[in-house]
Amino acid sequence: MENDAYDRIGDEPPNYEETSFSGGTTSNGNGTGNGEHRAVRPSVVSAFGHDTLDRVPNIDFYRNAGSVSGNRAVRPSLQELHDVFQKNGRISVTTTVEDREGSDGTPSDDVESVIPLDNKDGTVRFGWIKGVLVRCMLNIWGVMLFIRLSWVFGQAGWGLGIVVIALSCVVTTVTGLSMSAICTNGVVRGGGAYYLISRSLGPEFGGSIGLIFAFANAVAVAMYVVGFAETVVDLLKENDAIMIDELNDIRIIGCISVVLLLGISVAGMEWEAKAQIGLLIILLIAIVNVFVGTGIPASTDKKSKGFFNYDAKIFMENLPPDFRDGETFFSVFAIFFPAATGILAGANISGDLKDAQDALPKGTLLAILITGVTYLGVALCVSATVVRDATGNINDTIATGMDMFCNGTNTAACEQGWNFSSCDVSSCKFGSMNNFQVMTMVSGFGPLITAGTFSATLSSALASLVSAPKVFQALCKDNIYTALKFFAKGHGKNNEPIRGYVLTFIIAVAFIIIADLNVIAPIISNFFLASYALINFSCFHASYAKSPGWRPAYRYYNMWLSLFGAVLCCGVMFVINWWAALLTYAIEIFLYVYVTVKKPNVNWGSSTQAVTFVSAVNNTLSLTGIEDHVKNFRPQCMVLTGAPKNRPALLDLAHCFTKNYGLCLTCEVFVGPRTETLTDVNAGMEKNQMWLNKKKRKAFYAAVACDSFRQGTENLMQASGLGRLKPNILMMGFKKDWRTADTAGVQSYVGVLHDAFDFEYGTVVLRMNQGLDISHIIKAQEEMERDAQEQKDLEKEELAEENKGKSIFRKSRNLSTQGLTSRASVTTPQSPQVVVVNERLVSTSTQFQRKQGKGTIDVWWMFDDGGLTLLLPYILTTRKKFKDCKMRIFIAGQPGRVEQDRHEMKSLLEKFRIKYADIHVIDDITQNPNSNSWKMFEDMIEPFRLHEGSKSTTLTEALRKDNPWKISDAELDTFEEKTNLQVRLNELLQENSRAANLIIVSMPIARLGSVSDHLYMAWLDILTKNLPPTMLIRGNHKSVLTFYS
């Protein structure tokens, strides 16, 4: 397809058409895709004064697919800018970019707009007050404010009581600061705490905390509703209006309440927001009612119950702690702290905010400040007006003038004319220590406190009922837990998680029916705290990684303060309930491991990746300052596989050597002009690495484009690796077709071996009788699969259009059918013999992927190369696939001293601590090979011999000049003994190792410039001919084994 933006004449500048970045449709008939428009490259004459394909910076280039705040534009690729004139002004330019896999393309996928959007579709979006501030305040202000706050300050005194509130506020404030930093470091979508943690620390942390956080919110609905039901049942009890019994009444009222709350939630976020505003008004009136009540002169009844107006002596008497009934500072703190939670109520509906980046920091931190001041103000007012113990008896007064005898613990009340000394002997029912309804007594109008309690419980329940499905929906959308994908679907203009609402309702009703949440309550608090801890750790982790992508707009945070907040949250978890903290950690670790094992296909650029990169760089740098030691030697292989899947046997053996403990680099050399091969190099990088990851091969893929195979391999050997992390072994397959290949190919192959020796690489050559390369089989299979998929798609199309009868579709089907037919006609059916050969080749190539049966690995250690020939097979025997294979060692010996040679080798192996099954000393290795073997070798080299002995000198020199690579008679004479050795070794291998699972043989070395390439290939060929899988190994003659400790 040609792009109309390019001139088709020579190297003249292309003609550009003025278009809009994001408006309109494509002009080339390709249509549009996911709101991305790339019809014709617009010129930028106004910016630069001349036509250019380069673009000026624009936000549209940085949008995600499916953006609701603007169309995504696609900038020119580097290839387009670089190659446009080299290709005579013609270039194929895609008009659209496909949406990312897994995106549903809905507007909720991308809400990066900072400017509030016009709600043309009726979508409800909240500002920072209604969306964050109100929700957080309602969730933080709970029943604790009216029922337990006075008791907390009675136990701890207002001195330590301030510490309790301050410590709680420190935890929430530090978490709020960390959350502010995270949520201003990019677009915040729906999902609240789950979204913040998962995008910062990755799916493993996010997926584990997201599930338990959503569950905690669902159970919190039951907690708050049960609290509301208990208050209603208390009122029924006072008025003698119990329906069945207290327990069943709680269940009935709780279920009715949660049904009503569900109706409000399902009705939409707008109705839920209105309900929250109404509840907030009631709650504010109740709080004001407390402050007003403390200023109203106390009645005699209230005084008898311990309430007096503001009095400095009462205030000072309530300063020190007075812990009773086994309570301590930490136990009191554990009871109060859940009242400070709820700071994530705004974050949990982040997807419904107009501008989450602006709203969350402002609303959350202001809510923490307001609620903290409120808790402190109410508590101090009560501490200045209510004594700890009171009898409630209006007759317990002291006669005027008798206050001089006041002493002990009730001095302040005594000076007010009341005698509560009996509380020292027996427990009383009133006072801040004994009466949970102190706020009702202190307030100006008691029923307003009851209304405030109702408002606090219902508002918290409503917020949790909305939060749980929203967080759960975001978790399910990311498909981290595939079984939960059903709950990802949203409904209506606000993409409401109706299915999540129903699930939350079922969970809430289940726990309401239990009606006893004393055990589950501390677990829920710990779940919330675990979320806070991870948010703080996320901020610390991202800061610690120092990634250039960590650029939060909110600057008032500190990485060490965030770390302190994370540690503090973990400590508070144990303070509240140690066994609940352990259970929380156990559940989180289980989910973390589950997600890690499942490896969800997501990449959010988490700080975990950044820290892993930093650690890798630092560790690699630290290795450069340490000299290599023989005890720490490990194989690091460069494997010339081509594409990794083309030579599986070679890759499998290399992977057995390196496993997870060494470097394995699979390499491919693309031979040809760089302009033609570079596209293949770039295209194969990610595809082949993904294939390695999918097959669980701990290896890297590298490719180069060069004019020759030898040059490419030389470049790889010189440049591969990083510091100490560089290959030390070159692995390659045996060139099976060397006798039919062109001379340049053989010279290139042997040249690679020479280069490996020059660069001091250990060298491994694998030979298998059937061959190693299965690329032609893979290619045929891929073509068959492609044809089958096209046929399947065609059948679907025919089925879909069967009843329509439209001619255009008939035409399209006919064309498709013709295409498949033509392709099938080109594909030549394989003969049965070829099929058998291919099946045998595939089976042989994958044999090292299977567990090897009982057998032997025969090691023919002919030459001391530093020990690599012995070390590699030993490593194989430590792997599961080869654990049933025993090592047999074969060495060359002198006639008459076989036992001595065996004893010396046994001693050496024992010092090396290498297990073996047997040692064979070959004392007839110097014998001449038999005539059949020698004839086979001569036939092998015959086409490559010069035969100068039977020709004239002039003709010989002419032949040598025209064919310098041929084997001369002089060369054969010079290396006759070495040639005999290779042929004789093959005979011995045939005799002793025909049944071995794997044969290891010391590789002969050809002296550079003396041995011709074809003679060397003949040595390698005759040495390994007609044998089981055989590896030729030659170390770099530096020790890789030692017997020293």
Side-chain angles (χ1 to χ4, degrees), residues 250-520:
I250 289 173
R251 290 170 177 164
I252 293 169
I253 295 169
C255 289
I256 294 172
S257 302
V258 80
V259 168
L260 294 175
L261 293 175
L262 178 66
I264 295 173
S265 301
V266 172
M269 292 297 295
E270 193 171 3
W271 284 94
E272 187 266 349
K274 290 178 180 178
Q276 293 281 30
I277 293 295
L279 293 171
L280 177 64
I281 292 172
I282 296 172
L283 194 55
L284 288 173
I285 293 173
I287 293 172
V288 171
N289 182 41
V290 173
F291 289 111
V292 171
T294 56
I296 298 175
S299 63
T300 302
D301 180 63
K302 287 186 176 183
K303 288 182 179 180
S304 68
K305 295 179 180 179
F307 171 65
F308 303 91
N309 293 106
Y310 290 101
D311 186 277
K313 291 183 179 179
I314 295 176
F315 191 58
M316 295 309 297
E317 187 177 83
N318 285 328
L319 170 62
D322 185 14
F323 295 113
R324 303 178 189 176
D325 302 324
E327 299 291 349
T328 63
F329 171 81
F330 292 110
S331 65
V332 171
F333 174 79
I335 291 171
F336 172 79
F337 183 78
T341 60
I343 61 171
L344 298 179
N348 290 337
I349 63 160
S350 53
D352 296 300
L353 301 175
K354 292 178 182 177
D355 181 9
Q357 291 178 273
D358 177 68
L360 288 176
K362 193 187 302 181
T364 303
L365 293 173
L366 187 57
I368 293 172
L369 176 63
I370 292 173
T371 53
V373 170
T374 304
Y375 273 122
L376 196 58
V378 170
L380 290 176
C381 286
V382 172
S383 296
T385 57
V386 181
V387 295
R388 282 191 168 103
D389 297 290
T391 59
N393 189 345
I394 59 175
N395 297 318
D396 287 342
T397 56
I398 299 176
T400 306
M402 297 296 292
D403 56 352
M404 66 185 68
F405 300 104
C406 294
N407 53 43
T409 57
N410 297 288
T411 305
C414 182
E415 291 181 358
Q416 291 284 343
W418 291 85
N419 180 16
F420 297 147
S421 57
S422 60
C423 294
D424 295 336
V425 180
S426 60
S427 59
C428 296
K429 294 183 178 180
F430 298 95
S432 60
M433 293 285 282
N434 310 303
N435 183 16
F436 291 152
Q437 301 298 327
V438 166
M439 294 299 179
T440 305
M441 177 186 67
V442 169
S443 65
F445 184 62
L448 278 178
I449 300 301
T450 303
T453 304
F454 289 170
S455 174
T457 52
L458 292 177
S459 63
S460 297
L462 188 58
S464 297
L465 185 58
V466 171
S467 298
K470 294 280 186 182
V471 173
F472 193 58
Q473 182 187 34
L475 176 67
C476 297
K477 266 189 173 184
D478 288 334
N479 204 25
I480 291 177
Y481 303 101
T482 52
L484 303 177
K485 184 69 175 176
F486 173 78
F487 296 98
K489 184 174 176 59
H491 297 79
K493 58 189 179 183
N494 259 50
N495 199 34
E496 294 291 345
I498 302 298
R499 297 172 180 177
Y501 282 130
V502 174
L503 179 63
T504 304
F505 170 78
I506 293 171
I507 294 173
V509 168
F511 282 96
I512 288 171
I513 291 173
I514 294 173
D516 184 8
L517 300 177
N518 291 334
V519 175
I520 203 70

Side-chain angles (χ1 to χ4, degrees), residues 582-848:
L582 291 177
L583 181 62
T584 303
Y585 287 131
I587 294 173
E588 190 170 336
I589 290 171
F590 170 78
L591 293 174
Y592 178 89
V593 172
Y594 174 83
V595 176
T596 303
V597 171
K598 287 295 182 181
K599 287 185 174 61
N601 187 25
V602 294
N603 183 6
W604 295 319
S606 65
S607 59
T608 304
Q609 295 174 358
V611 169
T612 301
F613 179 84
V614 171
S615 299
V617 172
N618 289 335
N619 290 335
T620 305
L621 287 171
S622 66
L623 282 174
T624 59
I626 303 172
E627 289 187 11
D628 289 332
H629 194 281
V630 62
K631 287 197 297 185
N632 292 324
F633 175 86
R634 59 185 68 233
Q636 304 197 93
C637 300
M638 175 186 292
V639 194
L640 300 181
T641 58
K645 58 186 174 183
N646 287 353
R647 293 172 177 82
L650 197 60
L651 176 61
D652 293 335
L653 272 179
H655 185 252
C656 285
F657 293 146
T658 58
K659 207 70 176 178
N660 302 330
Y661 317 109
L663 177 67
C664 183
L665 200 62
T666 61
C667 300
E668 184 171 11
V669 178
F670 289 87
V671 178
R674 192 176 67 171
T675 53
E676 297 178 7
T677 57
L678 207 54
T679 304
D680 294 331
V681 172
N682 295 333
M685 283 292 183
E686 186 175 356
K687 181 179 70 174
N688 286 305
Q689 187 62 57
M690 288 178 64
W691 185 89
L692 288 168
N693 295 341
K694 183 180 178 181
K695 296 297 181 181
K696 297 182 179 179
R697 293 291 179 264
K698 307 295 183 182
F700 300 97
Y701 172 78
V704 292
C706 279
D707 295 330
S708 71
F709 174 72
R710 181 179 183 181
Q711 182 187 350
T713 307
E714 182 181 352
N715 292 345
L716 286 167
M717 283 193 283
Q718 292 186 87
S720 295
L722 195 65
R724 301 285 183 194
L725 290 177
K726 60 185 302 180
N728 51 30
I729 295 174
L730 176 70
M731 285 189 68
M732 58 194 302
F734 178 73
K735 188 173 180 61
K736 189 180 178 183
D737 64 343
W738 70 273
R739 297 168 68 181
T740 57
D742 60 0
T743 304
V746 175
Q747 290 175 336
S748 178
Y749 179 86
V750 176
V752 168
L753 295 176
H754 285 306
D755 291 339
F757 297 144
D758 288 341
F759 295 134
E760 295 190 338
Y761 272 69
T763 308
V764 177
V765 175
L766 174 64
R767 178 172 187 178
M768 302 178 74
N769 282 334
Q770 302 297 328
L772 295 171
D773 188 1
I774 62 170
S775 57
H776 59 287
I777 301 176
I778 293 174
K779 185 177 180 181
Q781 286 177 343
E782 289 175 349
E783 287 183 358
M784 289 174 61
E785 290 172 1
R786 195 181 306 117
D787 291 345
Q789 185 62 42
E790 287 187 14
Q791 184 64 38
K792 188 177 179 181
D793 294 341
L794 182 63
E795 289 173 358
K796 284 183 179 180
E797 182 185 341
E798 289 176 346
L799 185 63
E801 302 299 332
E802 192 174 28
N803 299 322
K804 293 185 178 180
K806 294 183 180 179
S807 61
I808 185 171
F809 288 106
R810 282 203 203 93
K811 183 178 180 181
S812 140
R813 289 199 301 272
N814 291 337
L815 288 174
S816 299
T817 307
Q818 290 171 9
L820 287 174
T821 305
S822 63
R823 182 180 297 179
S825 64
V826 171
T827 305
T828 306
Q830 295 179 336
S831 65
Q833 293 83 0
V834 173
V835 171
V836 171
V837 170
N838 286 344
E839 288 178 352
R840 193 177 301 158
L841 174 58
V842 171
S843 177
T844 305
S845 296
T846 58
Q847 72 179 75
F848 298 123

Side-chain angles (χ1 to χ4, degrees), residues 34 71 89 117 145 188 265 319 538 579 618 845 848 853 863 895 973:
N34 301 315
N71 293 315
L117 304 173
L145 179 63
V188 178
S265 301
L319 170 62
S538 298
W579 63 262
N618 289 335
S845 296
F848 298 123
F863 316 109
D973 292 339

Side-chain angles (χ1 to χ4, degrees), residues 789-1006:
Q789 185 62 42
E790 287 187 14
Q791 184 64 38
K792 188 177 179 181
D793 294 341
L794 182 63
E795 289 173 358
K796 284 183 179 180
E797 182 185 341
E798 289 176 346
L799 185 63
E801 302 299 332
E802 192 174 28
N803 299 322
K804 293 185 178 180
K806 294 183 180 179
S807 61
I808 185 171
F809 288 106
R810 282 203 203 93
K811 183 178 180 181
S812 140
R813 289 199 301 272
N814 291 337
L815 288 174
S816 299
T817 307
Q818 290 171 9
L820 287 174
T821 305
S822 63
R823 182 180 297 179
S825 64
V826 171
T827 305
T828 306
Q830 295 179 336
S831 65
Q833 293 83 0
V834 173
V835 171
V836 171
V837 170
N838 286 344
E839 288 178 352
R840 193 177 301 158
L841 174 58
V842 171
S843 177
T844 305
S845 296
T846 58
Q847 72 179 75
F848 298 123
Q849 297 173 9
R850 302 184 292 271
K851 185 177 180 181
Q852 303 299 300
K854 289 186 177 180
T856 64
I857 298 177
D858 288 358
V859 181
W860 291 71
W861 195 15
M862 299 291 100
F863 316 109
D864 193 328
D865 58 353
L868 188 67
T869 307
L870 187 62
L871 179 63
L872 291 184
Y874 165 75
I875 290 173
L876 285 180
T877 60
T878 65
R879 308 304 188 208
K880 287 183 179 179
K881 290 186 176 66
F882 288 89
K883 70 175 184 178
D884 293 333
C885 296
K886 306 297 182 182
M887 276 178 56
R888 295 195 303 172
I889 311 298
F890 294 81
I891 60 172
Q894 298 177 15
R897 49 170 293 164
V898 172
E899 290 302 321
Q900 184 178 349
D901 289 340
R902 181 182 289 112
H903 178 74
E904 289 177 357
M905 178 54 62
K906 179 181 178 182
S907 175
L908 181 61
L909 292 175
E910 287 176 352
K911 287 185 177 181
F912 285 152
R913 304 169 305 282
I914 288 180
K915 295 180 180 179
Y916 60 92
D918 200 1
I919 298 174
H920 295 265
V921 180
I922 309 299
D923 60 351
D924 57 350
I925 198 169
T926 56
Q927 290 182 5
N928 289 328
N930 62 48
S931 58
N932 290 334
S933 299
W934 186 253
K935 178 70 166 56
M936 185 188 304
F937 177 76
E938 286 187 328
D939 291 342
M940 191 181 291
I941 64 172
E942 179 62 30
F944 313 106
R945 290 189 63 179
L946 199 59
H947 288 296
E948 73 273 22
S950 59
K951 298 180 178 66
S952 65
T953 305
T954 306
L955 182 59
T956 299
E957 290 181 359
L959 286 172
R960 188 172 293 165
K961 184 177 180 181
D962 294 338
N963 304 286
W965 50 270
K966 283 199 171 185
I967 306 170
S968 65
D969 293 343
E971 182 183 356
L972 282 176
D973 292 339
T974 303
F975 297 104
E976 181 180 2
E977 290 184 358
K978 198 162 188 177
T979 302
N980 287 340
L981 177 62
Q982 313 313 319
V983 181
R984 175 61 180 154
L985 271 175
N986 180 260
E987 291 178 351
L988 293 169
L989 286 164
Q990 299 275 0
E991 180 182 334
N992 294 279
S993 299
R994 286 283 297 187
N997 290 30
L998 181 67
I999 300 174
I1000 312 291
V1001 187
S1002 292
M1003 179 190 293
I1005 292 181

Side-chain angles (χ1 to χ4, degrees), residues 495-566:
N495 199 34
E496 294 291 345
I498 302 298
R499 297 172 180 177
Y501 282 130
V502 174
L503 179 63
T504 304
F505 170 78
I506 293 171
I507 294 173
V509 168
F511 282 96
I512 288 171
I513 291 173
I514 294 173
D516 184 8
L517 300 177
N518 291 334
V519 175
I520 203 70
I523 299 178
I524 295 172
S525 296
N526 275 281
F527 281 177
F528 288 135
L529 274 167
S531 304
Y532 297 170
L534 280 180
I535 288 175
N536 282 305
F537 184 73
S538 298
C539 183
F540 163 76
H541 205 254
S543 303
Y544 175 77
K546 291 181 170 51
S547 172
W550 174 247
R551 303 183 302 275
Y554 187 84
R555 298 294 182 185
Y556 304 104
Y557 74 95
N558 180 274
M559 61 181 287
W560 300 111
L561 187 63
S562 296
L563 180 61
F564 169 75

Side-chain angles (χ1 to χ4, degrees), residues 12-247:
E12 302 249 331
N15 294 324
Y16 299 101
E17 182 178 322
E18 292 285 353
T19 62
S20 168
F21 263 117
S22 56
T25 60
T26 58
S27 63
N28 53 9
N30 276 2
T32 60
N34 301 315
E36 296 170 0
H37 302 266
R38 188 176 177 178
V40 178
R41 295 296 191 189
S43 61
V44 192
V45 178
S46 58
F48 300 109
H50 66 280
D51 286 346
T52 177
L53 195 59
D54 264 324
R55 301 269 66 95
V56 293
N58 190 291
I59 190 175
D60 289 341
F61 292 135
Y62 298 90
R63 298 192 188 282
N64 284 336
S67 170
V68 298
S69 52
N71 293 315
R72 181 187 182 189
V74 184
R75 69 175 65 82
S77 70
L78 190 61
Q79 200 80 16
E80 291 173 30
L81 293 173
H82 191 229
D83 290 352
V84 60
F85 296 118
Q86 294 180 18
K87 297 186 178 180
N88 298 322
R90 298 185 180 185
I91 188 169
S92 176
V93 182
T94 55
T95 55
T96 59
V97 172
E98 292 298 322
D99 199 356
R100 293 168 303 168
E101 185 178 352
S103 172
D104 58 7
T106 58
S108 60
D109 274 0
D110 187 2
V111 288
E112 77 275 50
S113 175
V114 176
I115 304 171
L117 304 173
D118 296 330
N119 294 331
K120 295 178 182 179
D121 59 351
T123 303
V124 178
R125 300 287 181 191
F126 302 113
W128 71 274
I129 295 178
K130 189 185 288 188
V132 182
L133 180 64
V134 170
R135 291 176 184 277
C136 288
M137 287 196 303
L138 283 172
N139 229 23
I140 296 172
W141 280 331
V143 291
M144 184 67 67
L145 179 63
F146 300 112
I147 296 178
R148 289 289 189 276
L149 187 60
S150 58
W151 177 86
V152 168
F153 268 62
Q155 290 277 356
W158 61 264
L160 287 180
I162 292 174
V163 175
V164 168
I165 293 178
L167 186 57
S168 302
C169 288
V170 165
V171 173
T172 55
T173 302
V174 172
T175 305
L177 293 173
S178 299
M179 184 188 71
S180 300
I182 296 171
C183 70
T184 57
N185 190 52
V187 176
V188 178
R189 299 178 182 170
Y194 158 72
Y195 185 87
L196 298 177
I197 294 170
S198 63
R199 268 51 177 185
S200 295
L201 292 178
E204 295 83 6
F205 282 104
S208 58
I209 201 65
L211 199 59
I212 64 175
F213 186 72
F215 176 77
N217 273 286
V219 179
V221 175
M223 284 184 57
Y224 295 128
V225 168
V226 167
F228 167 75
E230 286 178 350
T231 308
V232 174
V233 168
D234 287 343
L235 290 176
L236 294 176
K237 188 176 179 181
E238 289 178 9
N239 293 282
D240 197 21
I242 295 293
M243 293 179 284
I244 302 175
D245 57 58
E246 291 187 24
L247 187 61

